[in-house]
Amino acid sequence: MDTGGLSTLDQRIADCRACPRLVDWREEVARTKRAAFADWTYWGRPVPGFGPPDASLLIVGLAPAAHGGNRTGRMFTGDRSGDVLYQALYDVGLASQPTAVRADDGLELLGVRVTSPVHCAPPANKPTPAERDTCRPWLVQELDLLRPTLRAAVVLGAFGWQAALPAFADAGWTVPRPRPPFAHGGRVTLDAPDGPGLRLFGCFHVSQRNTFTGRLTPEMLRDVLREAADAAGLPTRQSG
């Protein structure tokens, strides 16, 4: 794969057509749209990661939402999961604003990059294991490019955790055996034979199912983000 930088990688991801089921679904959603977004021109393509190329903290989700990232072209932008995530990032001082509406809304992440192990919106939010594995090389390449500055990562949900661990291993970090199970608030240090290790944090996904039921509260999310930011060497606000 091209190692010319994250911008080149993002362009290549956006052109990927490797998974026929996902290509069909994302493009069908973009054609039919949701009534509330009838005046939008949907992105309808794989959604690259979002954030600075020298990020020291990475947030790993699941996959773009059909009417969120698949519509706006930016991770966690335009859906309720993103509303929760970016509000929390803003509260702790890691985002320039608390909302993410469209790709040109001026939002900047401060030392943080957001990505996912699957870059296309999947039917029912459930990519298959084969689709996850097909998409993994993109995440490995992203990790390779971030590695000089990356010091910590927050992984949202069990699917993201299971998908991310092999990618971290492929990118050169040492994942313990047996692989650590996912847990909210879980912490694992991934050593590296040729450089700094990576502090890995588990967090319940910011899905509506978790946030509406109180399984994941804003305070819980902020606590994980602050601890991960501290591990990454990023300053945070304590209020909010």
Side-chain angles (χ1 to χ4, degrees):
M1 302 176 83
D2 192 342
T3 57
L6 275 173
S7 60
T8 299
L9 178 68
D10 291 346
Q11 291 170 8
R12 296 194 67 197
I13 289 172
D15 290 336
C16 184
R17 300 182 65 85
C19 299
R21 186 182 80 114
L22 297 186
V23 171
D24 290 346
W25 172 253
R26 77 192 193 208
E27 294 181 355
E28 175 65 18
V29 169
R31 283 192 299 270
T32 59
K33 306 182 182 182
R34 177 176 282 171
F37 307 121
D39 60 340
W40 275 76
T41 299
Y42 274 51
W43 173 255
R45 300 164 65 189
V47 181
F50 167 55
D54 59 350
S56 56
L57 174 60
L58 184 67
I59 298 175
V60 183
L62 167 61
H67 301 282
N70 189 57
R71 171 172 58 90
T72 63
R74 195 174 70 188
M75 285 286 175
F76 281 107
T77 298
D79 60 56
R80 290 182 177 177
S81 293
D83 292 345
V84 173
L85 177 62
Y86 288 123
Q87 178 71 60
L89 287 169
Y90 174 78
D91 288 344
V92 302
L94 299 175
S96 64
Q97 62 190 45
T99 57
V101 179
R102 59 178 67 236
D104 60 355
D105 60 10
L107 172 65
E108 295 182 8
L109 300 185
L110 309 177
V112 180
R113 185 169 172 90
V114 181
T115 192
S116 64
V118 176
H119 287 277
C120 291
N125 292 322
K126 292 181 179 179
T128 67
E131 291 162 350
R132 173 201 65 198
D133 294 346
T134 298
C135 211
R136 182 178 298 144
W138 295 124
L139 179 55
V140 174
Q141 177 68 5
E142 189 172 14
L143 291 170
D144 284 338
L145 293 168
L146 291 170
R147 187 164 179 175
T149 58
L150 192 62
R151 299 294 177 265
V154 174
V155 182
L156 303 175
F159 181 96
W161 185 268
Q162 293 164 2
L165 288 179
F168 286 123
D170 288 347
W173 284 281
T174 301
V175 176
R177 292 286 187 176
R179 288 178 181 169
F182 171 78
H184 178 82
R187 303 166 185 84
V188 180
T189 297
L190 306 183
D191 295 325
D194 57 351
L198 186 74
R199 293 288 306 280
L200 194 60
F201 298 82
C203 180
F204 289 140
H205 196 279
V206 287
S207 66
Q208 292 183 54
R209 180 177 181 181
N210 286 337
T211 57
F212 283 6
T213 62
R215 189 182 192 209
L216 178 67
T217 66
E219 182 179 10
M220 291 166 64
L221 178 57
R222 290 194 297 264
D223 286 347
V224 173
L225 291 175
R226 284 196 183 98
E227 187 174 358
D230 182 67
L234 295 173
T236 60
R237 286 194 295 261
Q238 295 303 310
S239 61

